[in-house]
Amino acid sequence: MPQMEFFDVDQANNAIKSLAAPFNLEPPDKGKFHVLGRVAQTDSLLIFGAASITGYHARYTKTLDDFVFAIHRKTLDLDHTSQIDGENVHATVMIDRRDSEGSTGLAMMSKKGVIIEACTLMKAVCDRMGQSHAARITFAPGGMALPVHIACEHICDTLYVGLSEHGGLAGNPLAIANLQDALINTILYGAQHNHTAALLQGSIELPRIIRTAMQYMDANVHLPITPTDVAVASGVSIRSLQLTFRERLETTPQQYLRRIRLKRAYADLKAGNGLGVGEIARKWGFYSSGEFARLFFAEFGERPGDVFRQGSWR
């Protein structure tokens, strides 16, 4: 997670090249050069900050396919406390860099924000609409209010600090995933774009993350999987998975998984498959006979022993 300051453009570009960043920096017309920068990378996002006394131009060295969300401020302090009514906010930016040739950093200005690859953002759109494909997202000019930008900036700051040497998030992928989801949701539900109406209205079809989670649970219910395993297999955080299940199914992933296991246990009991109720209960992850009996009766209105005896008599 490097933080760098340069007064020589060649040194800056050598450092940028070592990071495999897709741009070169150029000094302003007056020839003097200064840039202060920092970056933190997660699996889905690039949190960045840049400031300059002299200004600079960033010329992209390859075609990009991502989106930039940032706040420009009339200050060089990258750790400046964000204020919604702060007069130092110079501009807010939402850029689709697929059609952009470069960007400019003005003198005595700083900017902080996040870069999200188009595939990541579009996957989030499709997941939330329950579709496998959607038209590329197009943000309306001025379609993201300053408070929403600042909310994104706060999440970016939390990620950046958390991923620092003593920040505590480097070994916590679940917390990182939750913050990534929070940032993407803030953008998708807080900005105006061509999918806003569909996202706010919701979809009758179950979101793809739920369908993926259901398929994973159905296929692996015989294994000691947990809701966290389901979230990882579905490509989302456990928090997002829980919220989506509650919103669409009025249940939780854990309750849904338990219901599948109870149904499998019921089928085995009814077929007489096993030496007894206890063996079948343990086969499907229920190690307390009393708890299994209670959950089984609550689900089916029958006692496990009665179902097993009926199956054994056949």
Side-chain angles (χ1 to χ4, degrees):
M1 189 184 61
Q3 180 163 326
M4 305 159 288
E5 186 169 16
F6 300 99
F7 293 90
D8 181 90
V9 68
D10 292 331
Q11 289 181 348
N13 284 324
N14 285 336
I16 290 169
K17 185 177 180 180
S18 71
L19 297 173
F23 63 88
N24 282 324
L25 293 177
E26 299 175 355
D29 294 338
K30 59 186 177 182
K32 294 182 179 180
F33 178 82
H34 167 266
V35 65
L36 169 68
R38 70 185 193 186
V39 62
Q41 178 78 59
T42 74
D43 61 339
S44 301
L45 309 173
L46 182 68
I47 310 300
F48 74 91
S52 179
I53 296 171
T54 62
Y56 60 88
H57 182 71
R59 192 176 302 280
Y60 304 140
T61 57
K62 68 177 185 179
T63 301
L64 302 176
D65 192 20
D66 57 28
F67 293 84
V68 177
F69 304 87
I71 288 181
H72 293 199
R73 295 180 181 278
K74 299 176 183 178
T75 175
L76 294 179
D77 184 2
L78 293 179
D79 296 313
H80 179 81
T81 302
S82 302
Q83 299 292 334
I84 291 179
D85 59 350
E87 295 181 358
N88 66 324
V89 174
H90 176 73
T92 57
V93 176
M94 292 188 296
I95 301 175
D96 182 345
R97 294 204 295 182
R98 184 178 61 175
D99 303 317
S100 179
E101 295 182 354
S103 63
T104 298
L106 301 178
M108 305 304 293
M109 295 283 289
S110 72
K111 57 184 175 182
K112 291 193 299 181
V114 61
I115 298 172
I116 307 176
E117 291 188 356
C119 59
T120 297
L121 199 60
M122 288 311 305
K123 181 180 183 300
V125 171
C126 291
D127 286 345
R128 285 152 180 78
M129 294 197 304
Q131 300 177 4
S132 59
H133 178 75
R136 186 181 181 90
I137 192 167
T138 302
F139 290 92
M144 193 159 150
L146 178 59
V148 180
H149 271 283
I150 290 179
C152 292
E153 186 186 43
H154 282 314
I155 299 172
C156 288
D157 286 342
T158 300
L159 275 167
Y160 182 84
V161 174
L163 290 169
S164 65
E165 183 179 358
H166 302 293
L169 290 186
N172 194 337
L174 190 58
I176 294 172
N178 281 328
L179 287 169
Q180 289 177 162
D181 276 354
L183 181 59
I184 290 174
N185 284 333
T186 300
I187 292 169
L188 291 182
Y189 291 94
Q192 294 295 316
H193 48 77
N194 54 325
H195 297 297
T196 295
L199 285 173
L200 295 179
Q201 181 180 4
S203 173
I204 296 176
E205 181 184 7
L206 289 177
R208 184 154 58 97
I209 59 173
I210 289 187
R211 289 184 275 118
T212 301
M214 288 178 168
Q215 291 167 1
Y216 178 82
M217 285 188 273
D218 285 335
N220 297 279
V221 67
H222 60 291
L223 301 174
I225 59 173
T226 67
T228 299
D229 297 321
V230 179
V232 171
S234 304
V236 296
S237 69
I238 182 64
R239 180 62 175 163
S240 288
L241 190 69
Q242 289 171 336
L243 290 174
T244 308
F245 263 70
R246 285 193 179 278
E247 178 184 348
R248 294 306 182 94
L249 302 179
E250 297 184 351
T251 188
T252 66
Q254 185 172 5
Q255 291 167 343
Y256 184 85
L257 182 60
R258 185 175 64 199
R259 181 170 294 178
I260 296 176
R261 288 173 170 156
L262 286 170
K263 289 180 179 178
R264 299 289 177 89
Y266 185 95
D268 278 355
L269 289 169
K270 196 164 186 177
N273 295 332
L275 298 176
V277 173
E279 179 188 2
I280 292 173
R282 287 188 294 273
K283 173 185 175 181
W284 296 108
F286 300 98
Y287 296 98
S288 168
S289 57
E291 180 72 0
F292 174 67
R294 183 186 68 80
L295 293 171
F296 192 93
F297 186 82
E299 183 69 23
F300 305 112
E302 299 179 73
R303 293 180 175 82
D306 294 341
V307 176
F308 182 72
R309 283 189 291 271
Q310 292 170 7
S312 301
W313 290 339
R314 293 181 179 180

